Amino acid sequence: MITGNLKASYAADERVFDNPNKRAFFYASLLALAGMAAFANDYVILVACQMGILLIAVTGVNVVTGYTGLISLGHAAFVAVGAYTVTIFHTAFAGTIPDGMMALIAIPLAVAVSTLVGIIVGLPALRVKGLYLAVATLSANFIVIFLIEQEAFARWTGGMVGIDTPVPNLLGWQLDTKREMFVLIAALGVITLLAVQNLFRTRVGRAFIAIRDRDYSAEIMGISLLRYKLTSFAISAALCGLSGALFAYFYARILPEQFELALSLELVAAMIVGGMGRTMGPVFGVLVIVMVPEVIKSIFGVATGGVAGVAQLLAPLQEIAFGLLIVLFLLFEPLGLNHMADRALRALNRWPFAR
Amino acid sequence: MGQFLQFAINGLMSGAIYALIAVGIVSVFKATKVVNFAHGYVIMVGAYFYYTFAVLVPGMDWAPAWLASWQPAWLTAMRAELPVMSPMGPVLDWVQNLPRILFGLAGAVLANAALGLVIERTLMRPLMGQSVFAMIMITVGLISILAGAVQLVWTADADFVPHIAPNAPVRFDVGETTIFLFGADIVNMIVALLIFGAIVAMVRFTKSGVAIRATAEDQSTAYSMGISVPKVFSRAWMLAAATGAVAGAILATRNGISPSLGLFGFSVLAIVLMGGLDSYVGVFIAALAVGILEALTQWQLGGDWAEIVPYVAVLIVILIRPHGLFGQKEVERI
Amino acid sequence: MLSVSDLHLSFGGIRALQGVSFEATPGGITGVIGPNGAGKTSLFNAISGFYTPDQGRVTFEGRDITGLSPDRRAALGIARTFQNIALFRGMTVLDNIKLGGHTRLGANLWQALAYFGPARREELAFRAEIEERVIDFLEIDHIRKAPITALPYGLQKRVELGRALAMQPKVLMLDEPVAGMNREETADMARFILDVQEEFGTTILLVEHDMGLVMDICAHIVVLNFGQQIAAGTPAEVSGNDEVIEAYLGAAA
């Protein structure tokens, strides 16, 4: 039970971690991440890296869809742009730039390029109704994948068979183990979450929420709809680009089929399941979405004793599971796991008085 | 010139099928203000129902032989007298297939209508009155469910389905060039146009059509006028699913049955937005235009590039005419 | 300060405004009244910038703002409340009010992402200011962390007023601020409106149906009927005007 929750100044009231429990949670999480980097086994690290990469992308989708209310069904395109920018950069400039600098340039470059693509895609579509943005992002997804797959560009992109990815080198620190990648991914993940949280403590983030809730009222407050929608969309493209860059460095090889519509829908599912419009929502969402295939695999492994033909069923089962998650959460808990956790915590806070 | 015409006509025929797919999306939107992002997958399920009733069921041991292949005495006699390469050949083939074609179509339409009803009842009805955002996102979830379910039940293998019309080659001359068409394609186009026309007429002129338009405009007022809004919703979804089954069947006869049929839904979504979401006329023109553009792109740049034509086109249209070619700018009452 | 001249506005066949011209009394309270459908909200929407008039001009501080978008007009200092309450339901009262001050804050995207530094200083200073100027002023400190959806109608209207005040507007347009309120709530709201005018010298434009309120607090009244202006003047002049009486009560038999 929380007692003594007293604020003596506005500064104290405006803090994010405004009570000892939240502060403890934050430090404990950081400690846990550090502990994982040092002691967890390889499988856990692998899964954690996947979650981290996805988390940054889902946070991006959360900013544009959860907080600003703009439906986007093609954000995998921006992840793809980020990933391929990294590999193309390495292909083009390997040898001309010192190894230790490559990743330091490639990652911000990936973010910049995907932001640019995001602005190009978003600018026409954001002038009108939300549906147009949904279809425009969908179209962008198909077009980007199509271009990547073309033989004409295969020299740069590897075409349909994909392209090998380099090992990142940060000023001499070679991240050639998954464990080291985890450190980078975890650090960037935490920074992303904190930055997005900050966004919504200021006028920029508030403007996004205002646009979602009632856009004409936001206009009356002096918020230029086009500018802020574009900013929100650009932020989400940037975060997906960052996620893509990490994607490229993490997986040995990237293929266009990894960035198809299925990934976009996965991002949306994670956002909905976790909790739209909340900072920790993507964390919950990513935990569930990455675990679903693993859970299905183990259930099937147990139930069928490893029958060969079963492997074919895994992919469709996974798809159905994602779709069901979206549908069930929208029907029964539209605010996501985050909201469920909120309720549980609130009951806990009031214990023993909550009934 | 001749090549151009050939491709343009092919494109027109594709466009008619797109129009048929689009009419389902527009009708559901008109009635419920929800854009069904999963419509492509609904028609894909319809195609798989057609496959089931036209290929799988007749292939079963317990199915009567005439269902798989109808061979009355007169047919066998005619066939025996046929010269080789006679145009009557495909026609007789078609007659042989007729029972299973009809069985397939009937089964597909009924089964898909049932699917439409189930979707509306379980997914859309609970969200009635809530934000359009939630309803659209639920159709997005539906995409994955249908895509996965189809692969689970029917596997991802591709197969063939019987054409719904005789697939006899048809030749005619325009000026100096000869245009080659297939009978099945022509009939497909005619069927698509007829169904499209029927639905537009229904919405325009019948009582149910008026009910649909009233519900779209103002649900509560329609309700108080005695229109059963839930019934309108159900009917709209069932209609979209049923016509979608025919569209799916036609698509499957052209492209073969496989899970990739669902992707047509997205190109048609682009078409629907190009035409202006709630205008049947606009969507019809956009569908034909995209069909022709795709065919011409295939002619000049190869089949691959034709894939992304609708997506590039919709981005361009959004740029120059934000509300679609024929859509109306909504005046919001503040 | 704020004036409209010869405004014409139509939606298809409906002529919402037909040549409305008036000037809002600077630093005073001007009322706009008229039967339902007279065009009052259309007038407000035209001044806000949601509708572009077919003809005529909106002038603010000597500058023609007829072509400006709503957000640009807000940046100039024109605030407004809505008939049907346009608060942001996903936020608390405090956040809604902070949003009112959007144009007065200046943190850009990068400063916002970093938060510590200029953004934080600005936020804290702003918070202190609105606590005094708005929250204490309107006596809503006990509900400032409450979500909008939990508030009763009367308090929501007050919060909306507070949100408009956070802008420190030069012109405040109130669209039916006491609609649906009982006598006590109306008296409270009237008091707040008068306080705003006295304390901050804001020019106030008021659309209302409650004649008692209008006659009590407005220095100048404009009467609309079917999109046309049928009378203007002090409360005494307007209430004695035959045309006004006819518009509201119908012609004498």
Side-chain angles (χ1 to χ4, degrees), chain C residues 51-63:
Chain C
Y51 302 149
T52 316
D54 308 319
Q55 219 182 302
R57 282 200 325 250
V58 179
T59 315
F60 179 65
E61 288 190 325
R63 190 181 147 177

Side-chain angles (χ1 to χ4, degrees), chain C residues 54-103:
Chain C
D54 308 319
Q55 219 182 302
R57 282 200 325 250
V58 179
T59 315
F60 179 65
E61 288 190 325
R63 190 181 147 177
D64 184 353
I65 62 170
T66 321
L68 287 185
S69 58
D71 51 283
R72 299 282 306 282
R73 299 189 199 199
L76 291 175
I78 303 178
R80 145 188 202 171
T81 66
F82 287 88
Q83 207 171 343
N84 294 321
I85 300 189
L87 289 172
F88 304 115
R89 306 179 80 82
M91 293 191 224
T92 59
V93 169
L94 188 56
D95 281 334
N96 264 278
I97 295 178
K98 283 188 192 172
L99 228 148
H102 181 90
T103 49

Side-chain angles (χ1 to χ4, degrees), chain A residues 132, chain B residues 26 271-280 282-283 286 323-328:
Chain A
Y132 287 86
Chain B
V26 175
I271 291 175
V272 166
L273 259 89
M274 272 189 272
L277 268 172
D278 55 0
S279 159
Y280 281 122
V283 164
H323 293 280
L325 298 166
F326 295 92
Q328 288 184 340

Side-chain angles (χ1 to χ4, degrees), chain B:
Chain B
M1 177 61 183
Q3 282 250 295
F4 173 81
L5 212 55
Q6 172 80 53
F7 277 99
I9 296 181
N10 283 345
L12 214 60
M13 295 199 288
S14 296
I17 301 177
Y18 295 151
L20 181 60
I21 301 175
V23 86
I25 300 178
V26 175
S27 303
V28 166
F29 177 73
K30 267 186 180 292
T32 66
K33 284 260 185 298
V34 173
V35 173
N36 179 13
F37 275 81
H39 190 67
Y41 291 84
V42 170
I43 68 167
M44 178 182 80
V45 175
Y48 270 93
F49 281 139
Y50 177 66
Y51 174 62
T52 308
F53 290 108
V55 175
L56 293 180
V57 167
M60 300 260 153
D61 296 329
W62 45 265
W66 58 264
L67 193 58
S69 187
W70 186 41
Q71 299 188 349
W74 58 265
L75 187 70
T76 331
M78 277 185 83
R79 196 176 271 285
E81 292 172 4
L82 270 191
V84 182
M85 299 300 277
S86 157
M88 278 300 280
V91 176
L92 290 182
D93 282 337
W94 173 67
V95 173
Q96 226 173 294
N97 278 331
L98 207 49
R100 62 181 184 148
I101 292 173
L102 292 175
F103 186 56
L105 283 175
V109 167
L110 289 173
N112 234 29
L115 176 69
L117 185 64
V118 165
I119 292 176
E120 195 271 324
R121 278 290 166 75
T122 56
L123 298 184
M124 297 287 121
R125 193 71 72 82
L127 291 185
M128 213 165 87
Q130 281 193 39
S131 69
V132 173
F133 177 93
M135 297 211 259
I136 293 177
M137 295 311 289
I138 252 196
T139 63
V140 170
L142 188 59
I143 293 175
S144 300
I145 296 180
L146 290 177
V150 158
Q151 280 188 51
L152 212 55
V153 174
W154 282 284
T155 81
D157 300 330
D159 203 345
F160 294 103
V161 288
H163 282 278
I164 63 176
N167 207 13
V170 171
R171 287 166 49 179
F172 58 91
D173 293 316
V174 175
E176 308 162 330
T177 51
T178 314
I179 308 284
F180 286 92
L181 296 173
F182 279 100
D185 286 335
I186 299 179
V187 173
N188 287 342
M189 178 175 80
I190 296 177
V191 167
L193 293 175
L194 281 176
I195 297 183
F196 188 93
I199 293 190
V200 176
M202 186 208 79
V203 171
R204 249 322 155 74
F205 300 121
T206 66
K207 217 167 97 177
S208 352
V210 173
I212 287 180
R213 283 185 285 149
T215 314
E217 190 124 356
D218 191 333
Q219 274 178 30
S220 23
T221 310
Y223 235 142
S224 32
M225 291 288 114
I227 295 175
S228 165
V229 168
K231 263 221 192 113
V232 168
F233 282 16
S234 303
R235 290 223 187 100
W237 275 86
M238 285 171 68
L239 183 67
T243 56
V246 177
I250 293 178
L251 269 182
T253 62
R254 259 181 17 150
N255 298 41
I257 187 91
S258 80
S260 64
L261 286 178
L263 293 172
F264 278 100
F266 298 120
S267 44
V268 172
L269 265 171
I271 291 175
V272 166
L273 259 89
M274 272 189 272
L277 268 172
D278 55 0
S279 159
Y280 281 122
V281 170
V283 164
F284 184 72
I285 296 179
L288 294 182
V290 166
I292 295 177
L293 266 172
E294 273 183 356
L296 295 178
T297 308
Q298 190 177 359
W299 178 36
Q300 293 294 336
L301 297 173
D304 269 353
W305 288 88
E307 265 178 49
I308 56 166
V309 162
Y311 303 116
V312 174
V314 77
L315 288 179
I316 295 177
V317 168
I318 290 181
L319 199 60
I320 51 179
R321 267 200 79 115
H323 293 280
L325 298 166
F326 295 92
Q328 288 184 340
K329 183 163 196 233
E330 257 182 48
V331 178
E332 219 182 314
R333 206 135 210 242
I334 297 175

